[in-house]
Amino acid sequence: MRPDDVDAAERLTALAYGVERTEAARRRWSGRTGHLLTTDPGGCWVADGDGAVVGVAVALRRDLLWVLSEYAVHPDHQRRGIGAALLDAAVGYGAGCLRGLLTSRPDPQALRRYRRAGFTLHPTMRLSGVVDRSALPAVDGVRGGTAADLDLVESVDRRVRGATHRPDHAFVLASSRLLVCDLLTGSGYVFLADWGVERLAATNRAVAQRLLWAALAATTPGSPVDVRNLTSDQEWAVDVGFAAGLRLDHDAYLALRHLRPPAPYVPSTAFG
Ligand SMILES: CC(C)(COP(=O)(O)OP(=O)(O)OC[C@H]1O[C@@H](n2cnc3c(N)ncnc32)[C@H](O)[C@@H]1OP(=O)(O)O)[C@@H](O)C(=O)NCCC(=O)NCCS
């Protein structure tokens, strides 16, 4: 992939995923992919069909963890082997990585490809809705974080998922708020975007629940929030969501290779 392929890849993924992106969402997608093209040029691939982009795969490597961030083939070009070739290229970028992780859409062809590539598929749940503010408990021990807290973020990430998100901190901080909790009993963090929880990790469930409550309290009253990619390992989150008046639905899948679902952890859809 080259920088001038990014906008075509954005259009292609919207079509293949069947989503309508707002102008802001388009810019977010392109900004994120442009960022990953800088950090992981060897993981970003397009399939070229007569000069047009007909497929895309974007993968990243963080420490010894490989993550797939985007994967799509234009609907008019599917079932011709392009998807398999793109996934091979993206997986090849992870050579030497011990573990693999991706959040999959509920697309039967994609799930088939992921399983064939050796991933274990874990069904996920999604909490969504407007927070019942009368249910919010008083939470102490959680405060706003800054760049000075990124060492804490990295140490929690290493413990919970075996790899940091180091090259992505500045990008993620630009579009979300960091909350941290650092107690004698445990520590953790959450990145909160305007649509909901971008990512949350903690060294124990009690700290994770504090952070999730604090994040829900910090959302704009009356506006919907989303907490996604929850495997059954994240019951601590389901319990907070129910208490906060959110609804639970089936989401999609977390696909993992040589890795048990990290917990307590809410994975980022794009960064794992
Ligand atoms: C998932 C996706 C990228 C797969 O792309 P694709 O190009 O259709 O995949 P392929 O053609 O490589 O594989 C589809 C099947 O067609 C077969 N096939 C058909 N004709 C073929 C040909 N001429 N040459 C090679 N393989 C062919 C492949 O062998 C494969 O079958 P298999 O599963 O038994 O191996 C595509 O379906 C897609 O964009 N889905 C929607 C977007 C989405 O949800 N993406 C996942 C995001 S997490």
Side-chain angles (χ1 to χ4, degrees):
M1 187 191 286
R2 294 186 294 250
D4 56 7
D5 293 322
V6 171
D7 288 343
E10 186 282 315
R11 291 290 73 218
L12 165 71
T13 53
L15 198 66
Y17 299 166
V19 294
E20 296 248 342
R21 293 198 183 107
T22 60
E23 191 51 42
R26 276 190 190 201
R27 274 202 302 276
R28 258 202 313 276
W29 195 97
S30 296
R32 187 175 64 234
T33 304
H35 160 73
L36 291 172
L37 200 47
T38 313
T39 56
D40 298 82
C44 300
W45 294 85
V46 294
D48 204 352
D50 293 330
V53 172
V54 298
V56 57
V58 175
L60 46 137
R61 273 192 320 226
R62 297 292 174 264
D63 304 323
L64 291 178
L65 178 69
W66 173 95
V67 176
L68 186 69
S69 187
E70 301 289 340
Y71 180 44
V73 169
H74 190 289
D76 295 345
H77 296 264
Q78 291 178 6
R79 305 196 69 84
R80 296 181 195 165
I82 296 172
L86 278 168
L87 191 60
D88 278 353
V91 167
Y93 177 64
C97 286
L98 300 177
R99 296 174 289 270
L101 180 157
L102 63 95
T103 57
S104 176
R105 304 173 62 83
D107 178 74
Q109 280 302 333
L111 294 169
R112 197 177 163 87
R113 297 262 63 83
Y114 298 148
R115 182 61 201 132
R116 291 231 158 145
F119 286 83
T120 298
L121 303 170
H122 300 269
T124 53
M125 300 169 278
R126 167 188 199 156
L127 291 164
S128 61
V130 174
V131 174
D132 172 4
R133 307 204 71 86
S134 70
L136 292 172
V139 175
D140 52 15
V142 177
R143 60 172 173 80
T146 65
D149 295 301
L150 293 173
D151 282 347
L152 177 148
V153 169
E154 289 185 10
S155 105
V156 173
D157 270 347
R158 260 191 224 101
R159 232 171 106 176
V160 176
R161 68 199 279 284
T164 69
H165 292 88
R166 179 171 299 161
D168 310 309
H169 289 330
F171 181 83
V172 173
L173 262 178
S175 60
S176 55
R177 258 187 300 166
L178 173 63
L179 301 178
V180 296
C181 177
D182 195 11
L183 305 172
L184 286 174
T185 52
S187 48
Y189 72 86
V190 55
F191 283 99
L192 181 65
D194 54 6
W195 51 265
V197 171
E198 155 67 22
R199 196 172 97 215
L200 183 156
T203 58
N204 66 52
R205 287 191 297 273
V207 169
Q209 287 191 320
R210 269 183 202 236
L211 283 160
L212 185 53
W213 274 120
L216 295 179
T219 59
T220 310
S223 63
V225 297
D226 239 339
V227 188
R228 302 194 56 179
N229 308 316
L230 304 170
T231 61
S232 61
D233 309 81
Q234 319 304 340
E235 271 178 347
W236 59 270
V238 172
D239 291 342
V240 169
F242 281 150
L246 301 182
R247 59 175 274 169
L248 187 71
D249 292 284
H250 180 218
D251 192 354
Y253 294 86
L254 182 68
L256 301 175
R257 194 152 82 158
H258 305 308
L259 180 66
R260 290 280 315 140
Y265 190 54
V266 179
S268 156
T269 298
F271 294 104

